[in-house]
Amino acid sequence: LEGLEQFEGSLGYDLALKLIKAVGARISNIAPKESLIAALEDSLLVLVFYSDDSKEFLSRQLEEVAALLSEPYDLGSHSGVLNAQCGFFVNENFAFAAETALKNANSAMHQAGVCGTRSLLYTESIKSAIVERQAMEAELRQAIAKNQFFMQYHPIVDLRTGRIDTVEALIRWKHPQDG
């Protein structure tokens, strides 16, 4: 739930708690009866339930949940607005431990934020995208430390007059393996 920390910081803990309870009530109204709703962190909620529905159906439902949670909350003297991002993981045949299922759902939630969507289903491609991104970040840190970046200037020529109109500056990376 994005925005909860700012809400608490500006309006106080009591109103933030009231907002969290309102979020829980909204989830309770739409979640299956045997669901478990838990707060793992201040702004991280978990909804666990059993379903025989398809992944596509669950994905549409989760998008609706994220939209519903993002609607304004009436808190009496104030109103609250949060941005909800949801990640979900389908633990088919209970093949994964709860810790792995939560970790995968959390990865999907973070990837939803990167992709700019409200909800995302965890897939192995998300795992590989996270691993690739971490590897790229490590390579970039090394490139900075080893001074592998350099600047090049490219003129932009006005084709009508043949004159240089402007210049663009590009930062290039002399990658040790990829050139």
Side-chain angles (χ1 to χ4, degrees), residues 30-32 49-62 88-92 121:
I30 58 174
F49 62 93
Y50 176 81
S51 175
D52 285 329
D53 294 318
S54 70
K55 290 178 185 176
E56 293 78 19
F57 177 78
L58 291 171
S59 182
R60 284 192 306 273
Q61 276 196 314
L62 200 58
F88 73 105
F89 174 73
V90 176
N91 196 357
E92 295 173 299
L121 167 66

Side-chain angles (χ1 to χ4, degrees), residues 1-128:
L1 299 171
E2 294 178 4
L4 188 59
E5 292 87 6
Q6 296 89 343
F7 190 85
E8 182 178 349
S10 62
L11 296 174
Y13 179 78
D14 290 339
L15 272 176
L17 187 58
K18 193 173 182 180
L19 180 59
I20 291 170
K21 288 179 181 179
V23 168
R26 281 191 190 174
I27 293 173
S28 295
N29 288 336
I30 58 174
K33 286 185 181 182
E34 290 80 30
S35 298
L36 168 68
I37 303 168
L40 292 184
E41 297 172 11
D42 285 346
S43 61
L44 184 59
L45 303 177
V46 175
L47 171 63
V48 179
F49 62 93
Y50 176 81
S51 175
D52 285 329
D53 294 318
S54 70
K55 290 178 185 176
E56 293 78 19
F57 177 78
L58 291 171
S59 182
R60 284 192 306 273
Q61 276 196 314
L62 200 58
E63 182 68 26
E64 291 174 17
V65 168
L68 180 66
L69 293 179
S70 297
E71 291 178 5
Y73 293 85
D74 180 14
L75 303 172
S77 60
H78 293 87
S79 63
V81 178
L82 300 172
N83 182 27
Q85 289 177 323
C86 303
F88 73 105
F89 174 73
V90 176
N91 196 357
E92 295 173 299
N93 301 320
F94 303 99
F96 295 92
E99 183 178 331
T100 301
L102 287 172
K103 182 184 79 155
N104 292 344
N106 194 38
S107 295
M109 179 194 64
H110 286 294
Q111 194 65 24
V114 170
C115 296
T117 62
R118 287 189 176 165
S119 65
L120 193 64
L121 167 66
Y122 178 87
T123 62
E124 284 301 313
S125 64
I126 287 177
K127 181 179 180 181
S128 61

Side-chain angles (χ1 to χ4, degrees), residues 135-136 138-140 142-143 148-150 172-179:
M136 177 60 76
E139 281 189 83
L140 286 168
Q142 282 185 336
Q148 295 175 342
F149 293 105
F150 61 96
R172 302 282 187 179
W173 180 6
K174 179 73 172 145
H175 194 278
Q177 286 85 28
D178 299 332

